[in-house]
Coordinates of all heavy atoms in Angstrom, one line a residue:
M404 N 0.8 -1.2 0.0 CA 0.0 0.0 0.0 C 0.9 1.3 0.0 O 0.6 2.2 -0.7 CB -0.9 0.0 1.2 CG -1.9 1.1 1.2 SD -3.1 0.9 0.0 CE -4.4 2.0 0.5
E405 N 1.9 1.2 0.7 CA 2.8 2.4 0.8 C 3.4 2.7 -0.6 O 3.6 3.9 -0.9 CB 3.9 2.2 1.8 CG 3.5 2.1 3.2 CD 4.6 1.7 4.2 OE1 5.7 1.5 3.8 OE2 4.3 1.6 5.4
R406 N 3.7 1.7 -1.3 CA 4.3 1.9 -2.6 C 3.3 2.6 -3.5 O 3.6 3.5 -4.3 CB 4.7 0.5 -3.2 CG 5.3 0.6 -4.6 CD 5.7 -0.7 -5.1 NE 4.5 -1.5 -5.5 CZ 4.5 -2.8 -5.8 NH1 5.7 -3.5 -5.7 NH2 3.5 -3.4 -6.2
V407 N 2.1 2.2 -3.4 CA 1.0 2.8 -4.2 C 0.8 4.3 -3.8 O 0.7 5.1 -4.7 CB -0.3 2.0 -4.0 CG1 -1.5 2.7 -4.7 CG2 -0.2 0.6 -4.5
Q408 N 0.9 4.6 -2.6 CA 0.8 6.0 -2.1 C 1.9 6.8 -2.7 O 1.7 8.0 -3.1 CB 0.8 6.0 -0.6 CG -0.5 5.5 0.0 CD -0.4 5.4 1.5 OE1 0.6 5.5 2.1 NE2 -1.6 5.2 2.1
K409 N 3.1 6.3 -2.7 CA 4.3 7.0 -3.2 C 4.1 7.4 -4.7 O 4.3 8.5 -5.1 CB 5.6 6.2 -3.0 CG 6.8 6.9 -3.4 CD 8.0 6.1 -3.2 CE 9.3 6.8 -3.7 NZ 10.5 6.0 -3.4
L410 N 3.6 6.4 -5.4 CA 3.4 6.6 -6.8 C 2.3 7.7 -7.1 O 2.4 8.5 -8.0 CB 3.0 5.3 -7.5 CG 4.1 4.3 -7.6 CD1 3.6 2.9 -8.0 CD2 5.2 4.8 -8.5
F411 N 1.3 7.6 -6.3 CA 0.2 8.5 -6.4 C 0.7 10.0 -6.1 O 0.4 10.9 -6.8 CB -0.9 8.2 -5.3 CG -2.1 9.1 -5.4 CD1 -3.0 9.0 -6.4 CD2 -2.2 10.1 -4.5 CE1 -4.1 9.9 -6.5 CE2 -3.3 11.0 -4.5 CZ -4.2 10.9 -5.5
I412 N 1.6 10.1 -5.2 CA 2.2 11.4 -4.8 C 3.0 11.9 -6.0 O 3.0 13.1 -6.3 CB 3.0 11.3 -3.6 CG1 2.1 11.0 -2.4 CG2 3.8 12.5 -3.3 CD1 2.8 10.5 -1.2
V413 N 3.8 11.0 -6.6 CA 4.6 11.4 -7.7 C 3.7 11.9 -8.9 O 4.0 13.0 -9.5 CB 5.5 10.3 -8.2 CG1 6.2 10.6 -9.5 CG2 6.5 9.9 -7.1
A414 N 2.7 11.2 -9.1 CA 1.8 11.6 -10.2 C 1.1 13.0 -9.9 O 1.0 13.8 -10.7 CB 0.7 10.6 -10.4
L415 N 0.8 13.2 -8.6 CA 0.2 14.4 -8.2 C 1.2 15.6 -8.4 O 0.8 16.6 -8.9 CB -0.2 14.4 -6.7 CG -0.7 15.7 -6.2 CD1 -1.9 16.2 -6.9 CD2 -1.0 15.6 -4.7
L416 N 2.4 15.3 -8.1 CA 3.4 16.4 -8.3 C 3.6 16.7 -9.7 O 3.9 17.9 -10.1 CB 4.8 15.9 -7.6 CG 4.7 15.8 -6.1 CD1 6.0 15.3 -5.6 CD2 4.4 17.2 -5.5
L417 N 3.5 15.7 -10.6 CA 3.6 15.9 -12.0 C 2.5 16.9 -12.4 O 2.7 17.8 -13.2 CB 3.5 14.6 -12.8 CG 4.7 13.7 -12.8 CD1 4.3 12.4 -13.4 CD2 5.8 14.3 -13.5
A418 N 1.3 16.6 -11.9 CA 0.1 17.4 -12.3 C 0.3 18.8 -11.8 O 0.0 19.8 -12.5 CB -1.1 16.8 -11.6
V419 N 0.8 19.0 -10.6 CA 1.1 20.3 -10.0 C 2.1 21.1 -10.9 O 1.9 22.2 -11.2 CB 1.5 20.3 -8.6 CG1 2.0 21.6 -8.1 CG2 0.4 19.7 -7.7
A420 N 3.1 20.4 -11.3 CA 4.2 21.0 -12.1 C 3.6 21.5 -13.5 O 3.9 22.6 -13.9 CB 5.3 20.1 -12.3
I421 N 2.8 20.6 -14.0 CA 2.2 21.0 -15.3 C 1.2 22.2 -15.2 O 1.2 23.1 -15.9 CB 1.4 19.8 -15.9 CG1 2.4 18.7 -16.3 CG2 0.6 20.2 -17.1 CD1 1.8 17.3 -16.6
A422 N 0.4 22.1 -14.1 CA -0.6 23.1 -13.9 C 0.0 24.5 -13.6 O -0.5 25.5 -13.9 CB -1.6 22.7 -12.8
S423 N 1.1 24.4 -12.9 CA 1.8 25.7 -12.5 C 2.8 26.2 -13.5 O 3.3 27.3 -13.4 CB 2.5 25.4 -11.2 OG 1.6 25.0 -10.2
N424 N 3.1 25.4 -14.6 CA 4.1 25.9 -15.6 C 5.4 26.2 -14.9 O 6.0 27.2 -15.3 CB 3.6 27.0 -16.4 CG 2.4 26.6 -17.3 OD1 2.4 25.5 -17.9 ND2 1.4 27.5 -17.4
I425 N 5.8 25.4 -14.0 CA 7.1 25.6 -13.3 C 8.3 25.3 -14.3 O 8.2 24.3 -15.0 CB 7.2 24.8 -12.1 CG1 6.1 25.1 -11.1 CG2 8.6 24.9 -11.4 CD1 6.0 24.2 -9.9
G426 N 9.3 26.1 -14.3 CA 10.5 25.9 -15.1 C 11.3 24.7 -14.7 O 11.2 24.3 -13.5
N427 N 12.1 24.2 -15.5 CA 12.9 23.0 -15.2 C 13.9 23.2 -14.1 O 14.4 22.3 -13.5 CB 13.6 22.5 -16.5 CG 12.7 21.8 -17.4 OD1 11.7 21.3 -17.0 ND2 13.1 21.8 -18.7
A428 N 14.3 24.5 -13.8 CA 15.2 24.7 -12.7 C 14.6 24.6 -11.4 O 15.3 24.5 -10.4 CB 15.8 26.1 -12.9
Q429 N 13.3 24.5 -11.3 CA 12.6 24.4 -10.0 C 12.5 22.9 -9.6 O 12.6 22.0 -10.5 CB 11.2 24.9 -10.2 CG 11.1 26.4 -10.5 CD 11.7 27.3 -9.4 OE1 11.4 27.0 -8.2 NE2 12.5 28.3 -9.7
T430 N 12.3 22.7 -8.3 CA 12.1 21.3 -7.9 C 10.8 21.3 -7.0 O 10.4 22.3 -6.5 CB 13.2 20.8 -7.0 OG1 13.4 21.7 -5.9 CG2 14.5 20.8 -7.8
I431 N 10.2 20.1 -6.9 CA 9.1 19.9 -6.0 C 9.5 18.7 -5.2 O 9.8 17.6 -5.7 CB 7.8 19.6 -6.8 CG1 7.4 20.8 -7.6 CG2 6.7 19.2 -5.8 CD1 6.3 20.5 -8.6
C432 N 9.6 18.9 -3.9 CA 10.0 17.8 -2.9 C 11.4 17.2 -3.3 O 11.6 16.0 -3.3 CB 8.9 16.8 -2.9 SG 7.4 17.4 -2.2
K433 N 12.3 18.1 -3.7 CA 13.6 17.7 -4.1 C 13.7 16.9 -5.4 O 14.6 16.2 -5.7 CB 14.4 17.0 -3.0 CG 14.6 17.8 -1.8 CD 15.4 17.1 -0.8 CE 15.6 18.0 0.5 NZ 16.3 17.3 1.5
M434 N 12.6 16.9 -6.2 CA 12.5 16.2 -7.5 C 12.4 17.3 -8.5 O 11.4 18.1 -8.5 CB 11.3 15.3 -7.5 CG 11.3 14.4 -8.6 SD 10.1 13.1 -8.4 CE 10.2 12.2 -9.9
P435 N 13.3 17.4 -9.5 CA 13.2 18.4 -10.5 C 12.0 18.2 -11.4 O 11.6 17.1 -11.6 CB 14.5 18.3 -11.3 CG 15.1 17.0 -10.9 CD 14.5 16.6 -9.6
V436 N 11.5 19.3 -11.9 CA 10.3 19.2 -12.7 C 10.6 18.3 -14.0 O 9.8 17.6 -14.4 CB 9.9 20.6 -13.2 CG1 8.8 20.5 -14.2 CG2 9.3 21.4 -12.0
A437 N 11.8 18.4 -14.4 CA 12.2 17.5 -15.6 C 12.0 16.0 -15.2 O 11.6 15.2 -16.0 CB 13.6 17.8 -16.0
G438 N 12.4 15.7 -13.9 CA 12.2 14.3 -13.5 C 10.7 14.0 -13.4 O 10.3 12.9 -13.7
L439 N 9.9 14.9 -12.9 CA 8.5 14.7 -12.8 C 7.9 14.5 -14.2 O 7.1 13.5 -14.4 CB 7.8 15.9 -12.1 CG 8.1 16.1 -10.7 CD1 7.6 17.5 -10.2 CD2 7.6 15.0 -9.8
M440 N 8.3 15.3 -15.1 CA 7.8 15.1 -16.5 C 8.3 13.8 -17.1 O 7.6 13.2 -17.9 CB 8.3 16.3 -17.4 CG 7.7 17.6 -16.9 SD 5.9 17.6 -16.7 CE 5.4 17.3 -18.4
A441 N 9.5 13.4 -16.8 CA 10.0 12.1 -17.3 C 9.1 10.9 -16.8 O 9.0 9.9 -17.5 CB 11.4 11.9 -16.8
C442 N 8.5 11.1 -15.6 CA 7.6 10.0 -15.1 C 6.2 10.1 -15.6 O 5.5 9.1 -15.5 CB 7.6 10.1 -13.6 SG 9.1 9.7 -12.8
K443 N 5.8 11.2 -16.2 CA 4.4 11.3 -16.6 C 3.9 10.2 -17.6 O 2.8 9.7 -17.4 CB 4.1 12.7 -17.2 CG 2.6 12.9 -17.4 CD 2.3 14.3 -17.8 CE 0.8 14.6 -17.9 NZ 0.0 13.8 -18.7
P444 N 4.7 9.8 -18.6 CA 4.2 8.8 -19.5 C 3.9 7.4 -18.7 O 3.1 6.6 -19.2 CB 5.3 8.6 -20.5 CG 6.0 9.9 -20.5 CD 5.9 10.4 -19.0
S445 N 4.5 7.2 -17.6 CA 4.3 6.0 -16.8 C 3.1 6.0 -16.0 O 2.7 5.0 -15.4 CB 5.6 5.7 -16.0 OG 6.7 5.7 -16.8
V446 N 2.4 7.1 -15.8 CA 1.3 7.2 -15.0 C 0.0 7.7 -15.7 O -1.0 8.1 -15.1 CB 1.6 8.1 -13.7 CG1 2.6 7.5 -12.9 CG2 2.0 9.5 -14.1
T447 N 0.1 7.7 -17.1 CA -0.9 8.2 -17.9 C -1.5 7.1 -18.7 O -0.8 6.4 -19.5 CB -0.4 9.3 -18.9 OG1 0.2 10.3 -18.1 CG2 -1.5 9.9 -19.7
P448 N -2.9 6.8 -18.5 CA -3.5 5.8 -19.3 C -3.7 6.2 -20.8 O -3.6 7.4 -21.1 CB -4.8 5.6 -18.6 CG -5.1 6.8 -17.8 CD -3.7 7.5 -17.6
P449 N -4.1 5.3 -21.7 CA -4.4 3.9 -21.4 C -3.3 3.0 -21.5 O -3.4 1.8 -21.0 CB -5.4 3.7 -22.6 CG -5.0 4.5 -23.7 CD -4.4 5.8 -23.0
K450 N -2.2 3.3 -22.1 CA -1.1 2.4 -22.3 C 0.2 3.1 -21.7 O 1.0 3.6 -22.4 CB -0.8 2.1 -23.7 CG -1.9 1.3 -24.4 CD -1.7 1.0 -25.8 CE -2.8 0.2 -26.4 NZ -2.6 -0.1 -27.8
P451 N 0.3 3.0 -20.4 CA 1.5 3.7 -19.7 C 2.8 3.0 -20.1 O 2.9 1.8 -20.3 CB 1.2 3.5 -18.2 CG 0.4 2.3 -18.1 CD -0.5 2.3 -19.4
A452 N 3.8 3.9 -20.3 CA 5.1 3.4 -20.7 C 5.9 2.9 -19.4 O 5.5 3.3 -18.3 CB 5.9 4.5 -21.3
A453 N 6.8 2.1 -19.6 CA 7.7 1.7 -18.5 C 8.5 3.0 -18.0 O 8.8 3.8 -18.8 CB 8.7 0.6 -18.9
P454 N 8.7 3.1 -16.7 CA 9.5 4.3 -16.3 C 10.9 4.3 -16.9 O 11.5 3.3 -17.0 CB 9.5 4.2 -14.8 CG 9.2 2.8 -14.5 CD 8.4 2.2 -15.6
T455 N 11.3 5.5 -17.2 CA 12.7 5.6 -17.8 C 13.7 5.7 -16.7 O 13.4 5.9 -15.5 CB 12.8 6.9 -18.6 OG1 12.5 8.0 -17.8 CG2 11.7 6.9 -19.8
A456 N 14.9 5.6 -17.1 CA 16.0 5.8 -16.1 C 16.0 7.2 -15.5 O 16.2 7.3 -14.3 CB 17.4 5.5 -16.7
A457 N 15.6 8.2 -16.3 CA 15.6 9.5 -15.7 C 14.4 9.7 -14.7 O 14.6 10.3 -13.7 CB 15.3 10.5 -16.9
C458 N 13.3 9.0 -15.0 CA 12.2 9.0 -14.0 C 12.6 8.4 -12.7 O 12.4 8.9 -11.6 CB 11.0 8.3 -14.6 SG 9.7 8.0 -13.5
C459 N 13.1 7.2 -12.8 CA 13.5 6.4 -11.6 C 14.6 7.1 -10.8 O 14.6 7.2 -9.6 CB 13.9 5.0 -11.9 SG 12.5 4.0 -12.6
S460 N 15.6 7.7 -11.5 CA 16.6 8.5 -10.8 C 16.1 9.7 -10.1 O 16.4 9.9 -8.9 CB 17.7 8.9 -11.9 OG 18.7 9.7 -11.2
A461 N 15.2 10.4 -10.7 CA 14.6 11.6 -10.1 C 13.8 11.1 -8.8 O 13.9 11.7 -7.8 CB 13.7 12.3 -11.0
L462 N 13.0 10.1 -9.0 CA 12.2 9.6 -7.9 C 13.1 9.1 -6.7 O 12.7 9.3 -5.6 CB 11.3 8.4 -8.4 CG 10.3 7.9 -7.4 CD1 9.3 8.9 -6.9 CD2 9.5 6.7 -8.1
S463 N 14.2 8.5 -7.0 CA 15.1 8.0 -6.0 C 15.7 9.1 -5.1 O 16.1 8.9 -4.0 CB 16.2 7.1 -6.6 OG 17.2 7.9 -7.3
H464 N 15.8 10.3 -5.7 CA 16.3 11.5 -4.9 C 15.3 12.4 -4.3 O 15.6 13.3 -3.6 CB 17.2 12.3 -5.9 CG 18.4 11.5 -6.4 ND1 19.4 11.1 -5.6 CD2 18.7 11.1 -7.6 CE1 20.3 10.5 -6.3 NE2 19.9 10.4 -7.5
A465 N 14.0 12.0 -4.5 CA 12.9 12.9 -4.0 C 12.8 12.7 -2.5 O 13.2 11.7 -1.9 CB 11.6 12.5 -4.7
D466 N 12.2 13.8 -1.9 CA 11.9 13.8 -0.5 C 10.5 13.1 -0.3 O 9.5 13.7 -0.6 CB 11.8 15.2 0.0 CG 11.4 15.3 1.5 OD1 10.8 14.4 2.1 OD2 11.7 16.4 2.1
I467 N 10.5 11.8 0.0 CA 9.3 11.0 0.0 C 8.3 11.6 1.0 O 7.1 11.6 0.7 CB 9.6 9.6 0.3 CG1 10.6 9.0 -0.7 CG2 8.4 8.7 0.4 CD1 10.2 9.2 -2.1
S468 N 8.7 12.0 2.2 CA 7.8 12.6 3.2 C 7.0 13.8 2.5 O 5.8 13.9 2.7 CB 8.5 13.0 4.4 OG 9.0 11.9 5.1
C469 N 7.7 14.6 1.8 CA 7.1 15.7 1.1 C 6.1 15.3 0.1 O 5.0 15.7 0.0 CB 8.2 16.6 0.5 SG 7.6 18.0 -0.4
L470 N 6.6 14.3 -0.7 CA 5.7 13.8 -1.8 C 4.4 13.2 -1.2 O 3.3 13.3 -1.7 CB 6.4 12.7 -2.6 CG 7.6 13.2 -3.4 CD1 8.3 12.0 -4.1 CD2 7.1 14.1 -4.5
C471 N 4.5 12.5 0.0 CA 3.4 11.9 0.6 C 2.3 12.9 1.0 O 1.1 12.6 1.1 CB 3.8 11.1 1.9 SG 4.6 9.6 1.5
S472 N 2.7 14.2 1.2 CA 1.8 15.2 1.6 C 0.8 15.5 0.5 O -0.2 16.2 0.7 CB 2.5 16.5 2.0 OG 3.1 17.1 0.9
Y473 N 1.0 15.1 -0.7 CA 0.2 15.3 -1.9 C -0.8 14.2 -2.2 O -1.6 14.2 -3.1 CB 1.0 15.6 -3.1 CG 1.7 16.9 -3.1 CD1 3.0 16.9 -2.6 CD2 1.1 18.0 -3.6 CE1 3.7 18.1 -2.6 CE2 1.8 19.2 -3.6 CZ 3.1 19.3 -3.1 OH 3.8 20.5 -3.1
K474 N -0.8 13.1 -1.4 CA -1.5 11.9 -1.8 C -3.0 12.0 -1.8 O -3.6 11.2 -2.5 CB -1.1 10.7 -0.8 CG -1.6 10.9 0.6 CD -1.0 9.7 1.4 CE -1.4 9.9 2.8 NZ -0.8 8.8 3.6
N475 N -3.6 12.9 -1.2 CA -5.1 13.0 -1.2 C -5.7 14.0 -2.2 O -6.8 14.4 -2.0 CB -5.6 13.3 0.2 CG -5.3 12.1 1.1 OD1 -5.4 11.0 0.8 ND2 -4.8 12.4 2.3
S476 N -4.9 14.5 -3.1 CA -5.4 15.5 -4.0 C -6.3 14.9 -5.1 O -6.1 13.7 -5.5 CB -4.2 16.2 -4.7 OG -4.6 17.0 -5.8
N477 N -7.2 15.7 -5.6 CA -8.1 15.3 -6.7 C -7.6 15.8 -8.0 O -8.2 15.6 -9.1 CB -9.5 15.9 -6.5 CG -10.2 15.2 -5.3 OD1 -10.1 14.0 -5.0 ND2 -10.9 16.0 -4.5
L478 N -6.4 16.4 -8.0 CA -5.9 17.0 -9.2 C -5.4 16.0 -10.2 O -5.6 16.2 -11.4 CB -4.7 17.9 -8.8 CG -4.0 18.7 -9.9 CD1 -5.0 19.6 -10.6 CD2 -2.9 19.5 -9.4
L479 N -4.9 14.8 -9.8 CA -4.3 13.9 -10.7 C -5.3 13.4 -11.8 O -5.0 13.5 -13.0 CB -3.8 12.7 -10.0 CG -2.6 12.9 -9.1 CD1 -2.1 11.7 -8.4 CD2 -1.5 13.5 -9.8
P480 N -6.5 12.9 -11.4 CA -7.4 12.5 -12.4 C -7.8 13.6 -13.4 O -8.0 13.4 -14.6 CB -8.6 12.0 -11.7 CG -8.1 11.6 -10.3 CD -6.9 12.6 -10.1
S481 N -7.9 14.8 -12.9 CA -8.3 15.9 -13.8 C -7.2 16.2 -14.8 O -7.5 16.8 -15.8 CB -8.5 17.2 -12.9 OG -7.4 17.7 -12.4
L482 N -6.0 15.8 -14.6 CA -4.9 16.0 -15.5 C -4.6 14.7 -16.3 O -3.5 14.6 -17.0 CB -3.6 16.5 -14.8 CG -3.8 17.8 -14.2 CD1 -2.6 18.2 -13.3 CD2 -4.0 18.9 -15.2
G483 N -5.4 13.7 -16.2 CA -5.2 12.5 -17.0 C -4.3 11.5 -16.4 O -3.8 10.6 -17.0
I484 N -3.9 11.7 -15.1 CA -3.0 10.8 -14.4 C -3.8 9.8 -13.6 O -4.7 10.2 -12.9 CB -2.1 11.6 -13.5 CG1 -1.2 12.5 -14.4 CG2 -1.2 10.7 -12.7 CD1 -0.4 13.5 -13.6
D485 N -3.5 8.5 -13.8 CA -4.2 7.5 -13.1 C -3.5 7.2 -11.8 O -2.3 6.8 -11.7 CB -4.1 6.2 -13.9 CG -4.9 5.0 -13.3 OD1 -5.0 4.9 -12.1 OD2 -5.4 4.2 -14.1
P486 N -4.2 7.5 -10.6 CA -3.5 7.3 -9.3 C -3.0 5.9 -9.1 O -2.0 5.7 -8.4 CB -4.6 7.6 -8.3 CG -5.6 8.5 -9.1 CD -5.5 8.0 -10.5
N487 N -3.7 4.9 -9.7 CA -3.3 3.5 -9.5 C -2.0 3.2 -10.2 O -1.1 2.5 -9.7 CB -4.4 2.5 -10.0 CG -5.6 2.6 -9.2 OD1 -5.6 2.6 -8.0 ND2 -6.8 2.5 -9.9
L488 N -1.8 3.8 -11.4 CA -0.5 3.7 -12.1 C 0.6 4.4 -11.3 O 1.7 4.0 -11.2 CB -0.6 4.3 -13.5 CG -1.5 3.5 -14.4 CD1 -1.7 4.3 -15.7 CD2 -1.0 2.1 -14.7
A489 N 0.2 5.6 -10.7 CA 1.2 6.4 -10.0 C 1.7 5.6 -8.8 O 2.9 5.6 -8.4 CB 0.6 7.7 -9.5
M490 N 0.8 4.8 -8.1 CA 1.2 4.1 -7.0 C 2.1 2.9 -7.3 O 2.8 2.4 -6.4 CB -0.1 3.6 -6.3 CG -0.9 4.7 -5.7 SD -2.4 4.0 -4.9 CE -3.4 5.5 -4.8
Q491 N 2.1 2.5 -8.5 CA 3.0 1.4 -8.9 C 4.4 1.8 -9.3 O 5.3 1.0 -9.4 CB 2.3 0.7 -10.1 CG 1.0 0.0 -9.9 CD 0.3 -0.4 -11.2 OE1 1.0 -0.6 -12.2 NE2 -1.0 -0.6 -11.1
L492 N 4.6 3.1 -9.5 CA 5.9 3.6 -10.0 C 7.1 3.2 -9.1 O 8.1 2.8 -9.7 CB 5.8 5.1 -10.2 CG 6.9 5.7 -11.1 CD1 7.0 5.0 -12.4 CD2 6.6 7.2 -11.3
P493 N 7.1 3.4 -7.8 CA 8.3 3.0 -7.1 C 8.7 1.6 -7.2 O 9.8 1.3 -7.4 CB 7.9 3.3 -5.6 CG 6.9 4.4 -5.7 CD 6.1 4.1 -7.0
G494 N 7.7 0.7 -7.2 CA 8.0 -0.7 -7.4 C 8.6 -1.0 -8.8 O 9.6 -1.8 -8.9
K495 N 8.1 -0.3 -9.8 CA 8.7 -0.5 -11.1 C 10.1 0.1 -11.2 O 10.9 -0.4 -12.0 CB 7.8 0.2 -12.2 CG 6.4 -0.5 -12.4 CD 5.6 0.2 -13.4 CE 4.3 -0.6 -13.6 NZ 3.4 0.0 -14.6
C496 N 10.4 1.0 -10.4 CA 11.7 1.6 -10.3 C 12.6 0.8 -9.3 O 13.8 1.2 -9.1 CB 11.7 3.1 -9.9 SG 11.0 4.1 -11.2
K497 N 12.1 -0.2 -8.7 CA 12.8 -1.0 -7.7 C 13.3 -0.2 -6.6 O 14.5 -0.3 -6.1 CB 13.9 -1.8 -8.4 CG 13.4 -2.8 -9.4 CD 14.6 -3.5 -10.1 CE 14.1 -4.6 -11.0 NZ 13.1 -4.4 -11.9
L498 N 12.5 0.7 -6.1 CA 12.8 1.6 -5.0 C 12.2 1.1 -3.7 O 11.1 0.4 -3.8 CB 12.4 3.0 -5.2 CG 13.0 3.7 -6.4 CD1 12.4 5.0 -6.7 CD2 14.5 3.9 -6.2
P499 N 12.8 1.3 -2.5 CA 12.2 0.9 -1.3 C 10.8 1.6 -1.0 O 10.6 2.7 -1.5 CB 13.2 1.2 -0.2 CG 14.0 2.3 -0.8 CD 14.0 2.1 -2.3
H500 N 10.0 0.9 -0.2 CA 8.7 1.5 0.2 C 9.0 2.6 1.2 O 9.8 2.5 2.1 CB 7.9 0.4 0.8 CG 7.6 -0.8 0.0 ND1 6.5 -0.8 -0.9 CD2 8.2 -1.9 -0.2 CE1 6.5 -1.9 -1.6 NE2 7.5 -2.6 -1.2
P501 N 8.2 3.7 1.0 CA 8.3 4.8 1.9 C 7.7 4.4 3.3 O 6.7 3.7 3.4 CB 7.6 5.9 1.2 CG 6.6 5.2 0.4 CD 7.2 3.9 -0.1
A502 N 8.3 5.0 4.3 CA 7.8 4.7 5.7 C 6.8 5.8 6.0 O 7.0 7.0 5.6 CB 8.9 4.8 6.7
N503 N 5.7 5.5 6.7 CA 4.7 6.4 7.1 C 4.1 7.3 6.0 O 4.0 8.5 6.2 CB 5.3 7.3 8.2 CG 5.8 6.4 9.4 OD1 5.1 5.5 9.8 ND2 6.9 6.8 9.9
C504 N 3.8 6.7 4.9 CA 3.3 7.5 3.8 C 1.8 7.1 3.6 O 1.5 6.0 3.5 CB 4.1 7.2 2.5 SG 3.5 8.1 1.1

């Protein structure tokens, strides 16, 4: 379940970055916007792509506690991001499960 929550958070952050038009020099929860954008194809239906090395690398350096703070947003579906796909992303990147997320 924690893995799913982490993915959901990553997807939410992608949505926030897109909605806010934040430049690539900015970060969200220590994850650069370019990294968030690299993950977007992996959390967008109907045929999500496998996460890229850039996506997994960015996710591995993110502040997971910060990302978890976005888990209850309704923004993701409105931007075409599937929360279920987002929750699968850390596992697909072979990253550890976040604690207390």
Side-chain angles (χ1 to χ4, degrees):
M404 185 70 162
E405 292 174 1
R406 181 176 75 189
V407 174
Q408 291 173 342
K409 181 178 178 182
L410 291 170
F411 181 77
I412 293 165
V413 171
L415 174 62
L416 293 175
L417 286 171
V419 170
I421 293 166
S423 300
N424 293 319
I425 297 172
N427 285 337
Q429 299 294 319
T430 62
I431 298 173
C432 298
K433 296 185 181 178
M434 190 168 177
V436 172
L439 294 170
M440 296 307 296
C442 292
K443 190 172 187 305
S445 301
V446 295
T447 305
K450 295 180 181 179
T455 63
C458 169
C459 293
S460 177
L462 186 58
S463 73
H464 296 292
D466 178 340
I467 302 305
S468 296
C469 176
L470 293 174
C471 287
S472 70
Y473 290 93
K474 69 183 174 184
N475 294 318
S476 172
N477 293 323
L478 183 60
L479 295 180
S481 72
L482 295 173
I484 295 171
D485 183 331
N487 293 320
L488 294 173
M490 293 181 200
Q491 297 169 20
L492 195 55
K495 290 180 179 180
C496 288
K497 296 180 175 45
L498 296 173
H500 298 273
N503 302 316
C504 182

